[in-house]
Amino acid sequence: MDSLSETLTHAAHELGFVLVGFARLHPLSEREAFYHQWLADGGHASMTYLAREPERRLDPRRLDARYKSVVSLGYPYAARATPDLDWRAEMRGRIAAYALGRDYHDVVKKRARAVGNIIRQLRPGSVTRTYVDTGPVFEREWASAGRIGWFGKNTMILNRDHGSYFFLAEIFTDVEFDVPLEPYRDHCGTCRRCLDLCPTGALADGYVMSSDLCISYQTIENRGAIPRELRPKLGNWIFGCDICNDVCPWNDAHASHDDADDRLPRLPELLALTEEDFGRRFTVSAVKRAKRRGLLRNVAVALGNTRNPDAVAPLARSIETETEPLIRSHAAWALGEIGGSAARRSLERALRDRDTAVRREAAVALETN
Ligand code: SF4
Ligand code: SF4
């Protein structure tokens, strides 16, 4: 390792990054055919931004011809132990570990930019540009090229010491570094726990994921209705999903226990949030990405999945008072899952709802009850 890489690695560690890798930029030709096929197959679902500027993703020097290298950084976050409470009885949702606490985009970007500043101080006149989960960047490709870890079957970057519970950041620069020649060895071996335990079958052989089947996509990126056949498989996940990280043996040592109210919020309380309450509660959280409309849609589905008769009252109230049809229609579905005379009465009233989608959901729910 050259002295600049050593100094930067040390500085990045001081800023809280646990992993630092350096790679020389080159066209990702080996990904090209795969990526175009994945797009053609609709693997990106409604995330149309993934289909934009494929040539820039495949060769970052098209972003800026001066770039020669990429510094990849891994910033850890705490995995959460599997809760031992009965989420159905207590009507608790679940939020993915990465979204707890302050929005990671802000935290990690600030620190990664500080590393970029150090590059420019040590190499005056150099250029740097920092990305955290934004921009046309194949971040996992570069993390793997910089030997931060290997590309696992769960489509995450995995590291033998740090598992996969870390955020990635990239700094593109015109500075050159000594780079490792050998790639990080794949340690998935014959394991396939993530593929077998993914509740929706979103992971397939060949290190690929179908976004439209993934709970993370459905609960965060999908702005419309969640496909009916997927709803029962969401369980109580209301923002993201940790299952393919949790079940990975390389993450075993990293689970921490914490306050259940934070990561396992009470679903009836969430379903009653006004726009103002939502803004106040999630203003510094990554959860705000789903917006109130998306989060409460997910909450309604999770309440249906509790099959708990105590969930009927908050769902019925939502159908009566909620202004957002997307939430009312998912609340109607949820009432159908729970069933019983009170749920039926509410669904019969919902047959006269002003919105077609709500009336349709209510009719389907009543038919199957
Ligand atoms: Fe499957 Fe959840 Fe992983 Fe998505 S995040 S691939 S739904 S286990
Ligand atoms: Fe690889 Fe097994 Fe982890 Fe999946 S669960 S990423 S197959 S080690």
Side-chain angles (χ1 to χ4, degrees):
M1 199 185 255
D2 58 277
S3 67
L4 177 61
S5 315
E6 267 178 37
T7 309
L8 276 181
T9 302
H10 180 72
H13 286 159
E14 296 274 296
L15 284 160
F17 293 100
V18 289
L19 294 164
V20 186
F22 301 88
R24 198 163 291 140
L25 290 175
H26 58 271
L28 294 167
S29 333
E30 66 285 5
R31 297 295 286 173
E32 193 168 349
F34 172 84
Y35 188 56
H36 285 299
Q37 190 57 52
W38 184 76
L39 290 175
D41 293 344
H44 59 310
S46 68
M47 296 179 284
T48 48
Y49 59 89
L50 290 174
R52 246 179 266 141
E53 308 181 285
E55 66 294 334
R56 288 187 175 197
R57 276 177 198 276
L58 292 160
D59 188 356
R61 291 170 305 178
R62 290 179 181 241
L63 292 166
D64 186 327
R66 293 171 295 175
Y67 295 156
K68 292 195 174 68
S69 318
V70 55
V71 184
S72 292
L73 302 161
Y75 191 88
Y77 62 94
R80 311 297 164 139
T82 304
D84 50 14
L85 55 77
D86 181 344
W87 66 268
R88 290 185 175 84
E90 294 200 24
M91 295 189 284
R92 302 260 199 169
R94 192 163 177 196
I95 293 178
Y98 80 85
L100 297 169
R102 218 183 156 79
D103 190 342
Y104 68 96
H105 291 91
D106 306 335
V107 177
V108 181
K109 195 154 193 178
K110 202 164 152 200
R111 288 165 191 249
R113 278 189 175 146
V115 178
N117 292 344
I118 297 169
I119 297 179
R120 293 199 309 282
Q121 277 161 20
L122 295 172
R123 289 284 186 276
S126 59
V127 291
T128 62
R129 182 151 179 187
T130 306
Y131 291 93
V132 178
D133 201 19
T134 49
V137 177
F138 276 131
E139 52 182 4
R140 285 170 283 182
E141 302 294 333
W142 297 115
S144 144
R147 292 188 96 252
I148 271 191
W150 78 95
F151 197 100
K153 291 181 191 174
N154 62 1
T155 72
M156 306 286 168
I157 294 295
L158 287 147
N159 177 281
R160 279 170 63 96
D161 298 320
H162 297 282
S164 58
Y165 281 102
F166 52 85
F167 302 115
L168 287 173
E170 303 76 39
I171 305 170
F172 291 105
T173 178
D174 57 346
V175 173
E176 291 185 89
F177 304 94
D178 277 353
V179 293
L181 297 174
E182 292 297 315
Y184 201 108
R185 200 159 69 75
D186 184 325
H187 293 277
C188 279
T190 55
C191 175
R192 40 179 300 122
R193 291 187 71 179
C194 54
L195 282 84
D196 293 343
L197 295 171
C198 168
T200 59
L203 297 169
D205 286 317
Y207 301 67
V208 284
M209 180 211 277
S210 299
S211 306
D212 57 348
L213 291 178
C214 177
I215 294 172
S216 287
Y217 166 78
Q218 289 295 342
T219 55
I220 303 171
E221 305 293 341
N222 179 10
R223 303 292 177 193
I226 296 172
R228 221 176 262 142
E229 66 281 6
L230 281 182
R231 294 176 196 167
K233 297 179 182 170
L234 262 54
N236 65 335
W237 291 104
I238 56 169
F239 188 90
C241 165
D242 284 329
I243 294 173
C244 57
N245 281 319
D246 277 353
V247 301
C248 178
W250 294 102
N251 280 324
D252 274 359
H254 301 279
S256 73
H257 294 265
D258 57 5
D259 177 16
D261 279 341
D262 187 18
R263 70 189 162 117
L264 303 163
R266 293 169 200 278
L267 294 165
E269 267 173 36
L270 290 183
L271 196 63
L273 289 181
T274 63
E275 200 66 63
E276 262 188 353
D277 299 334
F278 177 83
R280 254 195 309 273
R281 182 155 175 173
F282 296 112
T283 183
V284 295
S285 156
V287 172
K288 66 179 176 297
R289 182 172 173 79
K291 304 198 174 4
R292 173 184 179 274
R293 176 177 188 269
L295 184 73
L296 270 59
R297 168 201 62 186
N298 305 339
V299 166
V301 170
L303 276 169
N305 289 336
T306 65
R307 304 277 177 112
N308 184 336
D310 290 344
V312 170
L315 287 164
R317 202 172 310 119
S318 172
I319 293 192
E320 298 297 326
T321 59
E322 175 58 55
T323 53
E324 178 53 67
L326 185 73
I327 301 169
R328 295 204 304 279
S329 64
H330 286 71
W333 174 84
L335 285 172
E337 291 301 289
I338 301 167
S341 52
R344 280 191 74 84
R345 280 197 300 278
S346 174
L347 286 167
E348 276 155 8
R349 283 195 297 277
L351 288 175
R352 296 187 296 277
D353 193 281
R354 56 196 177 278
D355 184 83
T356 329
V358 181
R359 293 198 298 272
R360 199 182 318 122
E361 284 290 354
V364 173
L366 281 166
E367 261 170 39
T368 49
N369 252 271

PDB file of all heavy atoms in Angstrom, residues 195-216:
ATOM      1  N   LEU A 195     -31.206 -17.541   0.050  1.00  0.00           N
ATOM      2  CA  LEU A 195     -32.130 -17.898  -1.035  1.00  0.00           C
ATOM      3  C   LEU A 195     -33.312 -18.692  -0.484  1.00  0.00           C
ATOM      4  O   LEU A 195     -34.460 -18.462  -0.842  1.00  0.00           O
ATOM      5  CB  LEU A 195     -31.427 -18.725  -2.112  1.00  0.00           C
ATOM      6  CG  LEU A 195     -30.547 -17.967  -3.098  1.00  0.00           C
ATOM      7  CD1 LEU A 195     -29.163 -17.741  -2.545  1.00  0.00           C
ATOM      8  CD2 LEU A 195     -30.447 -18.716  -4.410  1.00  0.00           C
ATOM      9  N   ASP A 196     -32.987 -19.636   0.415  1.00  0.00           N
ATOM     10  CA  ASP A 196     -34.044 -20.517   0.921  1.00  0.00           C
ATOM     11  C   ASP A 196     -34.986 -19.804   1.892  1.00  0.00           C
ATOM     12  O   ASP A 196     -36.149 -20.163   2.008  1.00  0.00           O
ATOM     13  CB  ASP A 196     -33.419 -21.731   1.626  1.00  0.00           C
ATOM     14  CG  ASP A 196     -32.683 -22.624   0.634  1.00  0.00           C
ATOM     15  OD1 ASP A 196     -32.944 -22.483  -0.584  1.00  0.00           O
ATOM     16  OD2 ASP A 196     -31.842 -23.432   1.056  1.00  0.00           O
ATOM     17  N   LEU A 197     -34.476 -18.803   2.617  1.00  0.00           N
ATOM     18  CA  LEU A 197     -35.292 -18.189   3.671  1.00  0.00           C
ATOM     19  C   LEU A 197     -35.919 -16.852   3.284  1.00  0.00           C
ATOM     20  O   LEU A 197     -36.696 -16.299   4.049  1.00  0.00           O
ATOM     21  CB  LEU A 197     -34.448 -18.036   4.954  1.00  0.00           C
ATOM     22  CG  LEU A 197     -34.033 -19.386   5.550  1.00  0.00           C
ATOM     23  CD1 LEU A 197     -33.036 -19.221   6.684  1.00  0.00           C
ATOM     24  CD2 LEU A 197     -35.257 -20.148   6.054  1.00  0.00           C
ATOM     25  N   CYS A 198     -35.603 -16.350   2.106  1.00  0.00           N
ATOM     26  CA  CYS A 198     -36.273 -15.134   1.646  1.00  0.00           C
ATOM     27  C   CYS A 198     -37.770 -15.453   1.506  1.00  0.00           C
ATOM     28  O   CYS A 198     -38.142 -16.356   0.767  1.00  0.00           O
ATOM     29  CB  CYS A 198     -35.711 -14.683   0.297  1.00  0.00           C
ATOM     30  SG  CYS A 198     -36.738 -13.415  -0.471  1.00  0.00           S
ATOM     31  N   PRO A 199     -38.647 -14.749   2.208  1.00  0.00           N
ATOM     32  CA  PRO A 199     -40.069 -15.139   2.221  1.00  0.00           C
ATOM     33  C   PRO A 199     -40.778 -14.987   0.884  1.00  0.00           C
ATOM     34  O   PRO A 199     -41.828 -15.595   0.668  1.00  0.00           O
ATOM     35  CB  PRO A 199     -40.690 -14.203   3.268  1.00  0.00           C
ATOM     36  CG  PRO A 199     -39.711 -13.119   3.496  1.00  0.00           C
ATOM     37  CD  PRO A 199     -38.358 -13.608   3.096  1.00  0.00           C
ATOM     38  N   THR A 200     -40.226 -14.176  -0.015  1.00  0.00           N
ATOM     39  CA  THR A 200     -40.935 -13.940  -1.281  1.00  0.00           C
ATOM     40  C   THR A 200     -40.260 -14.614  -2.474  1.00  0.00           C
ATOM     41  O   THR A 200     -40.719 -14.474  -3.605  1.00  0.00           O
ATOM     42  CB  THR A 200     -40.996 -12.424  -1.570  1.00  0.00           C
ATOM     43  OG1 THR A 200     -39.652 -11.940  -1.628  1.00  0.00           O
ATOM     44  CG2 THR A 200     -41.762 -11.682  -0.497  1.00  0.00           C
ATOM     45  N   GLY A 201     -39.130 -15.301  -2.243  1.00  0.00           N
ATOM     46  CA  GLY A 201     -38.409 -15.929  -3.358  1.00  0.00           C
ATOM     47  C   GLY A 201     -37.768 -14.911  -4.277  1.00  0.00           C
ATOM     48  O   GLY A 201     -37.617 -15.140  -5.482  1.00  0.00           O
ATOM     49  N   ALA A 202     -37.372 -13.768  -3.712  1.00  0.00           N
ATOM     50  CA  ALA A 202     -36.801 -12.690  -4.552  1.00  0.00           C
ATOM     51  C   ALA A 202     -35.374 -12.996  -5.008  1.00  0.00           C
ATOM     52  O   ALA A 202     -34.913 -12.426  -5.997  1.00  0.00           O
ATOM     53  CB  ALA A 202     -36.812 -11.372  -3.781  1.00  0.00           C
ATOM     54  N   LEU A 203     -34.685 -13.884  -4.287  1.00  0.00           N
ATOM     55  CA  LEU A 203     -33.286 -14.179  -4.641  1.00  0.00           C
ATOM     56  C   LEU A 203     -33.231 -15.451  -5.473  1.00  0.00           C
ATOM     57  O   LEU A 203     -33.915 -16.435  -5.167  1.00  0.00           O
ATOM     58  CB  LEU A 203     -32.444 -14.346  -3.378  1.00  0.00           C
ATOM     59  CG  LEU A 203     -32.334 -13.101  -2.492  1.00  0.00           C
ATOM     60  CD1 LEU A 203     -31.719 -13.450  -1.140  1.00  0.00           C
ATOM     61  CD2 LEU A 203     -31.501 -12.024  -3.188  1.00  0.00           C
ATOM     62  N   ALA A 204     -32.407 -15.402  -6.518  1.00  0.00           N
ATOM     63  CA  ALA A 204     -32.298 -16.569  -7.391  1.00  0.00           C
ATOM     64  C   ALA A 204     -30.842 -16.981  -7.500  1.00  0.00           C
ATOM     65  O   ALA A 204     -29.935 -16.198  -7.179  1.00  0.00           O
ATOM     66  CB  ALA A 204     -32.846 -16.228  -8.769  1.00  0.00           C
ATOM     67  N   ASP A 205     -30.618 -18.212  -7.958  1.00  0.00           N
ATOM     68  CA  ASP A 205     -29.249 -18.655  -8.222  1.00  0.00           C
ATOM     69  C   ASP A 205     -28.617 -17.699  -9.208  1.00  0.00           C
ATOM     70  O   ASP A 205     -29.315 -17.132 -10.060  1.00  0.00           O
ATOM     71  CB  ASP A 205     -29.264 -20.075  -8.811  1.00  0.00           C
ATOM     72  CG  ASP A 205     -29.585 -21.096  -7.721  1.00  0.00           C
ATOM     73  OD1 ASP A 205     -29.039 -20.972  -6.617  1.00  0.00           O
ATOM     74  OD2 ASP A 205     -30.403 -21.996  -7.992  1.00  0.00           O
ATOM     75  N   GLY A 206     -27.319 -17.514  -9.086  1.00  0.00           N
ATOM     76  CA  GLY A 206     -26.650 -16.619 -10.023  1.00  0.00           C
ATOM     77  C   GLY A 206     -26.494 -15.222  -9.450  1.00  0.00           C
ATOM     78  O   GLY A 206     -26.244 -14.275 -10.180  1.00  0.00           O
ATOM     79  N   TYR A 207     -26.700 -15.076  -8.119  1.00  0.00           N
ATOM     80  CA  TYR A 207     -26.455 -13.789  -7.448  1.00  0.00           C
ATOM     81  C   TYR A 207     -27.358 -12.691  -7.994  1.00  0.00           C
ATOM     82  O   TYR A 207     -26.918 -11.587  -8.263  1.00  0.00           O
ATOM     83  CB  TYR A 207     -24.971 -13.384  -7.577  1.00  0.00           C
ATOM     84  CG  TYR A 207     -24.003 -14.387  -6.983  1.00  0.00           C
ATOM     85  CD1 TYR A 207     -23.826 -15.647  -7.533  1.00  0.00           C
ATOM     86  CD2 TYR A 207     -23.267 -14.063  -5.846  1.00  0.00           C
ATOM     87  CE1 TYR A 207     -22.954 -16.576  -6.978  1.00  0.00           C
ATOM     88  CE2 TYR A 207     -22.382 -14.976  -5.275  1.00  0.00           C
ATOM     89  CZ  TYR A 207     -22.239 -16.237  -5.861  1.00  0.00           C
ATOM     90  OH  TYR A 207     -21.368 -17.151  -5.299  1.00  0.00           O
ATOM     91  N   VAL A 208     -28.611 -13.041  -8.226  1.00  0.00           N
ATOM     92  CA  VAL A 208     -29.547 -12.037  -8.743  1.00  0.00           C
ATOM     93  C   VAL A 208     -30.777 -11.909  -7.846  1.00  0.00           C
ATOM     94  O   VAL A 208     -31.176 -12.857  -7.171  1.00  0.00           O
ATOM     95  CB  VAL A 208     -30.029 -12.334 -10.185  1.00  0.00           C
ATOM     96  CG1 VAL A 208     -28.974 -11.997 -11.194  1.00  0.00           C
ATOM     97  CG2 VAL A 208     -30.511 -13.758 -10.341  1.00  0.00           C
ATOM     98  N   MET A 209     -31.337 -10.721  -7.901  1.00  0.00           N
ATOM     99  CA  MET A 209     -32.550 -10.452  -7.131  1.00  0.00           C
ATOM    100  C   MET A 209     -33.604  -9.840  -8.055  1.00  0.00           C
ATOM    101  O   MET A 209     -33.284  -9.006  -8.890  1.00  0.00           O
ATOM    102  CB  MET A 209     -32.236  -9.460  -6.025  1.00  0.00           C
ATOM    103  CG  MET A 209     -33.444  -9.143  -5.185  1.00  0.00           C
ATOM    104  SD  MET A 209     -33.371  -7.505  -4.575  1.00  0.00           S
ATOM    105  CE  MET A 209     -32.347  -7.774  -3.155  1.00  0.00           C
ATOM    106  N   SER A 210     -34.850 -10.265  -7.885  1.00  0.00           N
ATOM    107  CA  SER A 210     -35.960  -9.622  -8.607  1.00  0.00           C
ATOM    108  C   SER A 210     -36.511  -8.555  -7.689  1.00  0.00           C
ATOM    109  O   SER A 210     -37.169  -8.859  -6.690  1.00  0.00           O
ATOM    110  CB  SER A 210     -37.070 -10.621  -8.916  1.00  0.00           C
ATOM    111  OG  SER A 210     -36.578 -11.633  -9.734  1.00  0.00           O
ATOM    112  N   SER A 211     -36.250  -7.299  -8.039  1.00  0.00           N
ATOM    113  CA  SER A 211     -36.664  -6.203  -7.161  1.00  0.00           C
ATOM    114  C   SER A 211     -38.154  -6.246  -6.859  1.00  0.00           C
ATOM    115  O   SER A 211     -38.577  -5.973  -5.737  1.00  0.00           O
ATOM    116  CB  SER A 211     -36.337  -4.861  -7.796  1.00  0.00           C
ATOM    117  OG  SER A 211     -34.990  -4.808  -8.135  1.00  0.00           O
ATOM    118  N   ASP A 212     -38.964  -6.570  -7.888  1.00  0.00           N
ATOM    119  CA  ASP A 212     -40.407  -6.472  -7.652  1.00  0.00           C
ATOM    120  C   ASP A 212     -40.918  -7.520  -6.669  1.00  0.00           C
ATOM    121  O   ASP A 212     -42.040  -7.414  -6.182  1.00  0.00           O
ATOM    122  CB  ASP A 212     -41.192  -6.521  -8.982  1.00  0.00           C
ATOM    123  CG  ASP A 212     -40.892  -7.774  -9.781  1.00  0.00           C
ATOM    124  OD1 ASP A 212     -39.924  -8.482  -9.441  1.00  0.00           O
ATOM    125  OD2 ASP A 212     -41.630  -8.035 -10.743  1.00  0.00           O
ATOM    126  N   LEU A 213     -40.099  -8.528  -6.360  1.00  0.00           N
ATOM    127  CA  LEU A 213     -40.516  -9.500  -5.342  1.00  0.00           C
ATOM    128  C   LEU A 213     -39.965  -9.155  -3.961  1.00  0.00           C
ATOM    129  O   LEU A 213     -40.351  -9.753  -2.966  1.00  0.00           O
ATOM    130  CB  LEU A 213     -40.020 -10.909  -5.723  1.00  0.00           C
ATOM    131  CG  LEU A 213     -40.672 -11.563  -6.935  1.00  0.00           C
ATOM    132  CD1 LEU A 213     -40.044 -12.927  -7.198  1.00  0.00           C
ATOM    133  CD2 LEU A 213     -42.169 -11.719  -6.710  1.00  0.00           C
ATOM    134  N   CYS A 214     -39.036  -8.223  -3.917  1.00  0.00           N
ATOM    135  CA  CYS A 214     -38.335  -7.951  -2.659  1.00  0.00           C
ATOM    136  C   CYS A 214     -39.172  -7.041  -1.749  1.00  0.00           C
ATOM    137  O   CYS A 214     -39.728  -6.031  -2.179  1.00  0.00           O
ATOM    138  CB  CYS A 214     -36.988  -7.307  -2.970  1.00  0.00           C
ATOM    139  SG  CYS A 214     -36.086  -6.853  -1.476  1.00  0.00           S
ATOM    140  N   ILE A 215     -39.227  -7.406  -0.484  1.00  0.00           N
ATOM    141  CA  ILE A 215     -40.008  -6.629   0.497  1.00  0.00           C
ATOM    142  C   ILE A 215     -39.450  -5.206   0.618  1.00  0.00           C
ATOM    143  O   ILE A 215     -40.207  -4.243   0.793  1.00  0.00           O
ATOM    144  CB  ILE A 215     -40.007  -7.349   1.869  1.00  0.00           C
ATOM    145  CG1 ILE A 215     -40.770  -8.669   1.760  1.00  0.00           C
ATOM    146  CG2 ILE A 215     -40.611  -6.465   2.963  1.00  0.00           C
ATOM    147  CD1 ILE A 215     -40.670  -9.563   2.988  1.00  0.00           C
ATOM    148  N   SER A 216     -38.136  -5.065   0.514  1.00  0.00           N
ATOM    149  CA  SER A 216     -37.547  -3.721   0.607  1.00  0.00           C
ATOM    150  C   SER A 216     -38.090  -2.837  -0.516  1.00  0.00           C
ATOM    151  O   SER A 216     -38.455  -1.684  -0.303  1.00  0.00           O
ATOM    152  CB  SER A 216     -36.028  -3.778   0.499  1.00  0.00           C
ATOM    153  OG  SER A 216     -35.516  -4.312   1.679  1.00  0.00           O
TER     154      SER A 216
END
